[in-house]
Amino acid sequence: YYAMLGVANDAGQKEIKARYRQLVKELHPDKSKDEKTAEKLTEISKAYKILSDAEKRKTYDAYYKASVG
């Protein structure tokens, strides 16, 4: 999710929120002619939903560290 949003693993909430907003503006259907825009927006929204919630982010980080090794 961090890579999807283009932020570091230790990014703060303000940075995550700012990047999310930037991506939403860039991928808005009125601005982007890419056919997969809706799919990308869905994935970005999912990533933001996890990373913007402290508990969900903690769980995600624990799972990610365990899976990577």
Side-chain angles (χ1 to χ4, degrees):
Y1 290 142
Y2 293 104
M4 194 177 298
L5 291 178
V7 297
N9 293 7
D10 61 351
Q13 291 299 318
K14 286 184 180 182
E15 183 179 352
I16 291 170
K17 187 174 187 176
R19 182 64 180 148
Y20 170 72
R21 287 183 174 182
Q22 179 185 7
L23 287 170
V24 168
K25 286 179 185 176
E26 289 174 9
L27 295 173
H28 191 277
D30 290 342
K31 291 190 177 191
S32 177
K33 302 299 179 199
D34 187 355
E35 295 175 3
K36 297 186 179 192
T37 298
E39 185 178 316
K40 289 178 184 177
L41 278 172
T42 301
E43 291 298 315
I44 288 168
S45 294
K46 183 178 177 182
Y48 177 71
K49 189 174 183 178
I50 297 296
L51 297 181
S52 65
D53 182 296
E55 282 300 312
K56 290 179 183 178
R57 183 176 179 179
K58 184 177 175 181
T59 302
Y60 173 76
D61 286 345
Y63 175 76
Y64 177 77
K65 288 177 185 175
S67 67
V68 172

